[in-house]
Each structure stands twice: as structure tokens, then as C-alpha cells.
Amino acid sequence: MEKTILVCILAYLLGSISGARVTALLYHTVNPTSSGSQNPGATNMYRIGGFKAGLLTFVLDLLKGLIAIWTAFKFELSADQTGLVAVACCSGHIWPIFHKFKGGKAVACALGCIFPVASGVASSLLVIWVITMFLFHYASLASICAVLACPVLLFAAGSDYSITYSVLSLLIVWRHRNNIKRLLNGQEDKF
């Protein structure tokens, strides 16, 4: 139990490091929380700083999830405990202690949390995201579709992680609630 709490705290702190803010410093762009969609994520950094800035933000946020789950593996945590680590890491991204608890939506971070436990599912989620994006040109819709598919694919694969990652999926969909409203009202910006 103590190991789980320790790794969850470390994962939360790691999740609190903002890939978008780091990228903004490296590329000398405006703060992503004060420009564009004001979301510190890869899509907004793409809009602000271009392809390389968006890609770097995506990779940095993905790495947070990877490192958190690899740490859980190193400490030999159970599937349920590892799922809690994933939730902690993504919670850090969403409510970062280093940035007044104002963070992003944790899509890339969550993907990083999925790769170590089910790389096939994670790859399928990327394909779902790309196809949805290609068909509809909404990054938020592509993210929501991939996130909703995650627990279904994990369950179909017989994964021990399907329950805790379902909680993570619901959290990320909830973070997209304003995007969902704009999509329903035809007001969401296309990518």
C-alpha cells in the first residue's frame, strides 16, 4: 500500500509537468493557456507554434504516462494499483500543482499510460483517432472517440486494466464536456 501511494504521488507530480508550457519556452511562443483554445495540449500548441511544437508537446505528454507506468512496473504493483497510478498521472496533467491546478485534457498522457499495459490497444486507439480526425477534422471528437473505445478494447482483449482505465476514460470525457457542447451546437473549431 505504501509503495502504491508513493508511486501515485510521483506520478501526479510527473503529470503536473506541462509539456505545452515546456514547449512554449523552447519555441519562444506565447503561453498556451492565454492563446488559442487556452488548453495546454498538443493541438493548441500546433495552432500556436506549428507542427514541431505540437509534436513535441504530444511526445512530452506521452512520455509522462509511459514513465509513470514503467515506474509502477518497477515497483511490481498490481493491475489495479497500476491503474491508480495512471489516474494519478493524468490527474496531475488535468490539475497540475505547478500551474494553479489548471491543466489540459490528458489525452496524450493517457495514451502513454496505455502503451506499456496494452500496446496493441494503444495502437488501435491511435488509428481510431487518425481515422476520426481524417473524416471529421475535429481533434476533440477524435480524442473522445478514442477515449471511449479504450475500455471496450481493453475489455475485449481480456485485460486486467479494463476497470481502472474505464475510470480514466470517463475522467477524460468529462474534461471534454465543453467541447461536446460546442460539437453539438456546431461551434467547435475544426483542426
Side-chain angles (χ1 to χ4, degrees):
M1 185 65 177
E2 291 168 355
K3 285 194 300 186
T4 306
I5 293 170
L6 173 63
V7 178
C8 282
I9 291 170
L10 291 173
Y12 171 79
L13 293 173
L14 178 63
S16 291
I17 299 168
S18 172
R21 289 175 173 98
V22 170
T23 301
L25 287 173
L26 292 173
Y27 279 82
H28 306 289
T29 68
V30 294
N31 185 329
T33 60
S34 61
S35 184
S37 66
Q38 300 181 348
N39 179 60
T43 301
N44 196 34
M45 281 308 299
Y46 169 79
R47 289 179 177 135
I48 294 168
F51 176 77
K52 289 182 181 177
L55 180 62
L56 179 59
T57 302
F58 175 80
V59 169
L60 291 174
D61 288 341
L62 182 87
L63 282 173
K64 294 191 299 189
L66 286 169
I67 293 168
I69 301 307
W70 286 336
T71 304
F73 289 170
K74 184 74 174 172
F75 279 82
E76 300 178 344
L77 300 186
S78 70
D80 287 341
Q81 291 167 331
T82 300
L84 289 175
V85 171
V87 171
C89 185
C90 291
S91 294
H93 183 91
I94 294 168
W95 299 290
I97 194 168
F98 306 129
H99 303 289
K100 300 179 182 177
F101 304 101
K102 295 177 181 177
K105 296 188 171 90
V107 175
C109 186
L111 185 64
C113 290
I114 295 165
F115 260 110
V117 302
S119 59
V121 169
S123 298
S124 298
L125 296 176
L126 272 175
V127 170
I128 290 168
W129 192 95
V130 169
I131 290 171
T132 308
M133 186 68 172
F134 177 77
L135 292 174
F136 301 101
H137 306 287
Y138 291 108
S140 58
L141 180 62
S143 297
I144 292 164
C145 289
V147 165
L148 289 174
C150 178
V152 175
L153 294 177
L154 286 171
F155 181 78
S159 173
D160 293 336
Y161 299 92
S162 57
I163 294 174
T164 50
Y165 278 65
S166 295
V167 172
L168 186 54
S169 293
L170 290 173
L171 175 61
I172 295 171
V173 170
W174 176 79
R175 280 294 287 163
H176 280 83
R177 64 195 182 280
N178 291 330
N179 299 90
I180 293 169
K181 288 176 187 174
R182 288 193 296 270
L183 283 165
L184 292 173
N185 293 328
Q187 298 171 334
E188 182 76 334
D189 291 332
K190 288 195 173 185
F191 188 76

